[in-house]
């Protein structure tokens, strides 16, 4: 069987870490097995969906390297949902209801006060045609509920193992609102059937929906796909993901300077038994993904892990890959420079400050002018790759300084900072002229 999954975001907001993880797990699962990934824009709610959010979702997925094999808009498929609704009505599984939300509220309160579960009582099933006509004459429009079988719906969940939902304890779900809007439940099933979706992978907050949706799959003649309900993301301390992190958009993460591979490695591997290391590519993450590696416990989202993976991705980045981005920041000082400074990067944009050490201006920190003068006196005429060992030996002989007492003042003078890249590589790149000026205390 060839695998086909779908990611079905609503274009009513930006992609954030939670829904991107859902997209990613779908993508990894499918692409690890040469399957297909469908992007299905869930825009049946025309009033809340925008073209801008839809474009943003595509930009973010592409930036993260999660390309799609097919793309659909649910708003272009209303005729399919109408047809399915008609079939369900004909089969007696979709029935018209006329209660207002106030009436439903009142009934729920009465049920609760009697210690009964607040489940819809199916009063509408008993309405006669005359009663329905009277409601219509009053100007009421029906909403439509799916008549559940009221049974134990069971499936083998790829993430949770054996799963069961008792639909007898649920209200018949509303599939079509009184204003004619299709809620997500039915279109999702219709599309999963018609698009040959083999696996539905989503958050564990959908488990109850799945009970109802499996009944809808069956009522429409299936096939019923396999399901996986992933544990939700939690914060580093195991409590609910903070509002700030939970709503952090991919666009904001891009602006904060995170590498796409750091984000996908983090979100793709937390909550699994794979080590939290940066992957070679998003495809490589897919190749090593398996639901058997995903535990039942929630996945901890820790910014410190993400930062570590981001640095790791930069430290391993080839100059060929970095070059266009260095050029864009006007900081491409060649492959040797890149190799010397990449271990110092936390975020890519840090290169600018490091390039400025080489080309200046740097305001030197001269703590001991006599030491600086002595170092200048023994500075070799020719500054090349051999400069550092030759020069530092000479400074050591001239001043008696050694170890940290030798290297730290030189670093402070040459770079203006107490930590930074490997001086043996960087010092020759600074060039003799600027070294001389900095030794003299001049900004250069
Ligand atoms: N648009 C739905 C959501 O984001 C899709 C759920 C699903 O994957 O079935 O909740």
């Amino acid at each position: 069987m060839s695998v086909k999954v779908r990611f079905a975001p609503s274009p009513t907001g930006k992609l954030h870490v939670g829904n991107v993880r859902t997209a990613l797990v779908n993508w990894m699962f499918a692409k690890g097995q040469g399957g297909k990934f469908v992007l299905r824009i869930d825009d049946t709610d025309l009033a809340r969906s925008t073209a801008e959010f839809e474009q943003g979702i595509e930009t973010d997925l592409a930036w993260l390297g999660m390309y799609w094999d097919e793309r659909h808009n649910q708003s272009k498929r209303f005729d399919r949902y109408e047809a399915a609704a008609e079939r369900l009505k004909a089969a007696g599984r979709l029935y018209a209801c006329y209660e207002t939300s106030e009436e439903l509220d009142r009934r729920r309160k009465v049920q609760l006060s009697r210690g009964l579960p607040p489940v819809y009582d199916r009063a509408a099933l008993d309405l006669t045609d005359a009663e329905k006509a009277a409601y219509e004459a009053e100007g009421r429009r029906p909403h439509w509920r799916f008549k559940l079988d009221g049974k134990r719906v069971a499936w083998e969940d790829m993430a949770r193992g054996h799963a069961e939902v008792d639909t007898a304890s649920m209200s018949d779900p509303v599939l079509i609102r009184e204003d004619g809007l299709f809620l997500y439940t039915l279109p999702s099933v219709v599309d999963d059937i018609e698009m040959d979706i083999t696996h539905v992978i989503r958050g564990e907050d959908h488990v109850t929906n799945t009970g109802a949706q499996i009944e809808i799959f069956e009522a429409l003649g299936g096939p019923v796909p396999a399901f996986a309900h992933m544990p939700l993301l939690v914060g580093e301390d195991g409590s609910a993901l903070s509002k700030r992190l939970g709503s952090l958009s991919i666009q904001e993460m891009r602006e904060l300077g995170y590498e796409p591979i750091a984000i996908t490695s983090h979100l793709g591997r937390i909550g699994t038994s794979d080590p939290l290391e940066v992957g070679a590519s998003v495809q490589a993450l897919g190749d090593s993904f398996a639901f058997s590696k995903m535990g039942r416990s929630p996945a901890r989202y820790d910014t410190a892990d993400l930062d570590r993976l981001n640095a790791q991705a930069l430290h391993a980045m080839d100059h060929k890959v970095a070059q266009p981005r260095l050029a864009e920041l006007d900081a491409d000082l060649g492959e040797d420079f890149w190799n010397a400074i990449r271990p110092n990067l936390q975020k890519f944009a840090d290169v600018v400050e490091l390039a400025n050490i080489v080309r200046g201006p740097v305001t030197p920190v001269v703590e001991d002018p006599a030491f600086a003068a002595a170092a200048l006196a023994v500075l070799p005429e020719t500054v090349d790759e051999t400069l550092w060992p030759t020069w530092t030996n000479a400074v050591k002989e001239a001043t008696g300084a050694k170890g940290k007492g030798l290297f730290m003042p030189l670093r402070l003078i040459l770079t203006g900072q107490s930590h930074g890249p490997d001086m043996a590589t960087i010092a020759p790149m600074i060039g003799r002229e600027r070294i001389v000026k900095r030794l003299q205390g001049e900004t250069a």
Side-chain angles (χ1 to χ4, degrees):
M1 175 185 59
S2 71
V3 168
K4 195 171 180 190
V5 302
R6 84 303 194 274
F7 173 51
S10 305
T12 53
K14 293 179 183 175
L15 285 191
H16 51 80
V17 295
N19 49 21
V20 159
R21 177 161 170 268
T22 301
L24 179 63
V25 174
N26 272 284
W27 196 95
M28 293 191 302
F29 176 75
K31 294 295 156 180
Q33 319 178 51
K36 288 204 159 76
F37 175 80
V38 174
L39 172 59
R40 192 165 76 206
I41 304 292
D42 178 353
D43 55 356
T44 51
D45 188 344
L46 299 170
R48 292 178 57 230
S49 302
T50 75
E52 203 179 326
F53 285 133
E54 184 173 332
Q55 179 59 53
I57 290 167
E58 294 193 2
T59 303
D60 289 345
L61 290 179
W63 180 69
L64 292 166
M66 286 190 261
Y67 292 95
W68 48 93
D69 302 287
E70 268 176 44
R71 185 192 177 297
H72 301 276
N73 281 75
Q74 292 195 314
S75 59
K76 302 232 164 68
R77 296 175 48 79
F78 284 123
D79 56 334
R80 312 301 312 158
Y81 312 143
E82 296 287 359
E86 289 311 316
R87 283 171 56 208
L88 292 176
K89 285 179 199 173
R93 297 300 297 273
L94 194 61
Y95 61 98
C97 303
Y98 291 88
E99 294 92 346
T100 62
S101 48
E102 293 77 32
E103 284 164 355
L104 291 172
D105 255 0
R106 225 176 301 128
R107 273 191 228 170
R108 265 193 297 269
K109 281 188 188 128
V110 172
Q111 286 169 316
L112 286 170
S113 70
R114 294 186 187 151
L116 298 169
V119 173
Y120 178 61
D121 61 8
R122 292 183 165 168
L125 278 177
D126 300 328
L127 291 175
T128 62
D129 286 346
E131 285 168 326
K132 290 184 194 174
Y135 279 132
E136 302 262 351
E138 252 178 51
R140 291 204 199 189
R141 312 247 36 97
H143 56 275
W144 297 82
R145 289 189 191 258
F146 177 73
K147 189 162 169 284
L148 290 165
D149 270 341
K151 60 177 184 187
R152 300 192 89 79
V153 177
W155 68 95
E156 289 311 308
D157 195 288
M158 292 187 291
R160 300 166 70 81
H162 184 76
E164 265 186 31
V165 168
D166 181 6
T167 60
S169 67
M170 291 163 56
S171 294
D172 287 339
V174 175
L175 300 189
I176 308 172
R177 275 192 341 203
E178 62 179 38
D179 61 1
L181 183 104
F182 281 93
L183 292 168
Y184 119 93
T185 317
L186 177 63
S188 177
V189 172
V190 171
D191 288 349
D192 288 344
I193 296 173
E194 296 190 6
M195 294 170 190
D196 302 317
I197 299 302
T198 58
H199 297 77
V200 170
I201 302 166
R202 53 192 182 183
E204 64 186 9
D205 50 334
H206 280 288
V207 167
T208 312
N209 286 345
T210 296
Q213 284 187 318
I214 287 179
E215 286 200 14
I216 300 175
F217 274 104
E218 289 167 350
L220 290 173
V224 182
F227 285 91
H229 294 88
M230 300 181 285
L232 299 180
L233 288 179
V234 296
E236 62 223 64
D237 57 358
S239 60
L241 198 58
S242 71
K243 208 159 176 263
R244 187 184 59 80
L245 278 182
S247 63
L248 191 61
S249 70
I250 297 305
Q251 184 192 331
E252 283 170 288
M253 293 180 84
R254 183 160 56 237
E255 286 161 9
L256 285 170
Y258 286 109
E259 299 296 312
I261 191 64
I263 298 174
T264 50
S265 300
H266 185 230
L267 289 178
R269 287 185 164 167
I270 46 177
T272 76
S273 56
D274 274 334
L276 204 45
E277 301 296 338
V278 80
S281 64
V282 66
Q283 178 65 49
L285 295 174
D287 292 341
S288 70
F289 176 80
F291 276 106
S292 57
K293 295 180 179 177
M294 193 179 268
R296 285 288 294 271
S297 51
R300 277 170 205 266
Y301 183 98
D302 188 345
T303 306
D305 285 328
L306 176 62
D307 287 337
R308 179 176 61 77
L309 292 175
N310 201 68
Q312 216 181 60
L314 294 170
H315 301 173
M317 192 181 284
D318 227 60
H319 182 248
K320 271 202 275 310
V321 176
Q323 200 276 332
R325 294 172 63 187
L326 290 167
E328 207 168 289
L329 293 174
D330 191 23
D332 185 15
L333 305 184
E335 187 169 352
D336 288 346
F337 166 75
W338 172 251
N339 289 337
I341 58 95
R342 64 182 178 171
N344 294 82
L345 300 177
Q346 298 299 314
K347 299 279 173 66
F348 194 91
D350 298 346
V351 294
V352 173
E353 203 188 323
L354 292 158
N356 287 342
I357 291 178
V358 170
R359 62 189 169 195
V362 163
T363 302
V365 175
V366 185
E367 286 174 342
D368 178 356
F371 173 88
L376 177 56
V378 295
L379 181 68
E381 275 311 312
T382 325
V383 162
D384 58 20
E385 314 73 76
T386 65
L387 169 75
W388 197 248
T390 319
W391 185 36
T392 52
N393 262 328
V395 178
K396 184 174 167 185
E397 264 171 41
T399 62
K402 56 181 194 263
K404 204 169 174 225
L406 170 65
F407 294 107
M408 186 53 84
L410 288 175
R411 179 182 285 285
L412 283 169
I413 295 166
L414 263 50
T415 72
Q417 292 166 28
S418 58
H419 53 84
D422 172 41
M423 291 304 293
T425 321
I426 283 296
M429 291 183 188
I430 296 173
R432 195 169 198 284
E433 198 179 322
R434 272 188 290 265
I435 293 179
V436 170
K437 287 197 177 138
R438 292 179 195 175
L439 286 165
Q440 290 168 337
E442 283 176 47
T443 295

